[in-house]
Amino acid sequence: MTDKPVLYSYFRSSCSWRVRIALALKGIDYETVPINLVKDGGQQFSEDFQTLNPMKQVPALKIDGIVIGQSLAIMEYLEETRPTPRLLPQDPQKKAIVRMISDLIASGIQPLQNLSVLKQVGQEKQLPWAQKVITSGFNALEQILQSTAGKYCVGDEVTMADVCLAPQVANAESGCRTTGPGGTRRTLRLQPFALPTASLASDPQRQRKIACQGRCVTSSSSDYLGDSSSLATLGRASPRTWQGSRLRWCVCGGKQSDLL
């Protein structure tokens, strides 16, 4: 296991963001190959990438001589082969709860409001559809977290549940998908948990610089001062949101408003 892992990722993909957070928390050095899901009709549909991942989705991680798709499968593999620090509790019951929360987000919320699904419901129905899906999922999460949360989603250790939650909160807020009665308040109640600052490098804003080959206008490290490790910061599309601005700009893409 000497070769550096290679992550095929899109900076706005919340599934890819989960894996980037996990890699950062575990201190795993890796290379990134950007796969633009929009450019040229979607680079994930290229023959080369389809050979790598027949599902034509990101993320995909090339590691230890194999290629793994699906973010939860990737994190499970990292947990088994590089177990420090742990993202799954040792206690079987807590481990089951972490997996339940992770699956709730990765299977019960994110895919139903993803771009590929929204394209099928029609332009006018996209926002109401996404709001309904996210609101329903967040309602369930709130009920679960009332009995499981300590410092983090499950007890007092960072787990896979926290790794999955941060990008989903960002996804909801970046497109104002939780607007409506109680929507914004609900999102804010789901992000009181602080993640270590190591995971900040996984933020889409910093990843955008990779995807755009360094031509982006991005925040400097000073934007992460203060409570920079909180999920309230990670849970928004940009650290600048914490300082009152929602906009991010890139010379090759214009204003960004959505995650995937």
Side-chain angles (χ1 to χ4, degrees):
M1 298 191 294
T2 57
D3 293 338
K4 185 183 294 187
V6 178
L7 177 64
Y8 297 81
S9 170
Y10 184 49
F11 73 104
R12 288 167 60 184
S13 161
S14 54
C15 299
S16 298
W17 192 358
R18 298 171 198 154
V19 176
R20 296 195 303 264
I21 293 175
L23 289 166
L25 290 175
K26 287 181 174 292
I28 300 172
D29 190 22
Y30 66 97
E31 296 179 0
T32 299
V33 176
I35 303 295
N36 194 311
L37 303 186
V38 179
K39 186 179 180 181
D40 302 325
Q43 295 175 347
Q44 72 274 25
F45 299 117
S46 69
E47 290 186 11
D48 288 344
F49 188 74
Q50 186 172 349
T51 300
L52 190 75
N53 184 2
M55 277 299 288
K56 296 169 281 190
Q57 296 174 340
V58 293
L61 183 68
K62 186 182 292 185
I63 186 171
D64 302 338
I66 63 173
V67 177
I68 310 171
Q70 303 300 324
S71 60
L72 295 190
I74 292 171
M75 289 191 286
E76 290 273 4
Y77 180 80
L78 294 177
E79 188 70 5
E80 292 183 10
T81 60
R82 295 152 176 84
T84 306
R86 293 192 306 267
L87 293 179
L88 286 172
Q90 292 180 316
D91 178 79
Q93 292 185 352
K94 289 184 178 180
K95 185 181 296 184
I97 292 171
V98 168
R99 285 176 168 147
M100 174 184 68
I101 294 173
S102 301
D103 279 334
L104 189 157
I105 296 168
S107 301
I109 301 178
Q110 191 275 333
L112 299 177
Q113 46 85 80
N114 202 9
L115 182 60
S116 60
V117 173
L118 293 180
K119 286 181 178 179
Q120 304 302 314
V121 303
Q123 185 69 34
E124 293 183 358
K125 297 180 180 179
Q126 286 183 4
L127 185 58
W129 172 276
Q131 289 173 344
K132 180 178 180 180
V133 168
I134 294 174
T135 299
S136 175
F138 280 3
N139 279 335
L141 277 175
E142 282 185 333
Q143 293 181 44
I144 293 169
L145 293 178
Q146 285 178 3
S147 61
T148 67
K151 184 178 179 181
Y152 299 101
C153 285
V154 180
D156 294 326
E157 294 183 357
V158 175
T159 68
M160 194 184 299
D162 304 282
V163 172
C164 290
L165 177 59
Q168 185 56 55
V169 172
N171 198 335
E173 288 212 327
S174 66
C176 298
R177 292 177 178 173
T178 50
T179 7
T184 301
R185 292 192 299 275
R186 178 173 297 108
T187 302
L188 294 176
R189 288 202 299 272
L190 281 169
Q191 49 182 329
F193 310 110
L195 292 180
T197 54
S199 61
L200 286 172
S202 67
D203 186 273
Q205 178 161 325
R206 293 191 175 187
Q207 291 294 311
R208 183 167 197 149
K209 199 166 187 177
I210 297 173
C212 302
Q213 300 179 338
R215 294 180 295 139
C216 302
V217 180
T218 58
S219 302
S220 67
S221 58
S222 62
D223 291 320
Y224 292 89
L225 296 177
D227 191 18
S228 59
S229 63
S230 71
L231 193 56
T233 304
L234 284 174
R236 292 179 167 87
S238 166
R240 288 189 182 276
T241 306
W242 191 248
Q243 299 175 357
S245 172
R246 284 186 177 274
L247 302 185
R248 288 182 287 156
W249 295 87
C250 172
V251 295
C252 58
K255 184 173 66 175
Q256 178 185 336
S257 60
D258 270 330
L259 296 174
L260 299 175

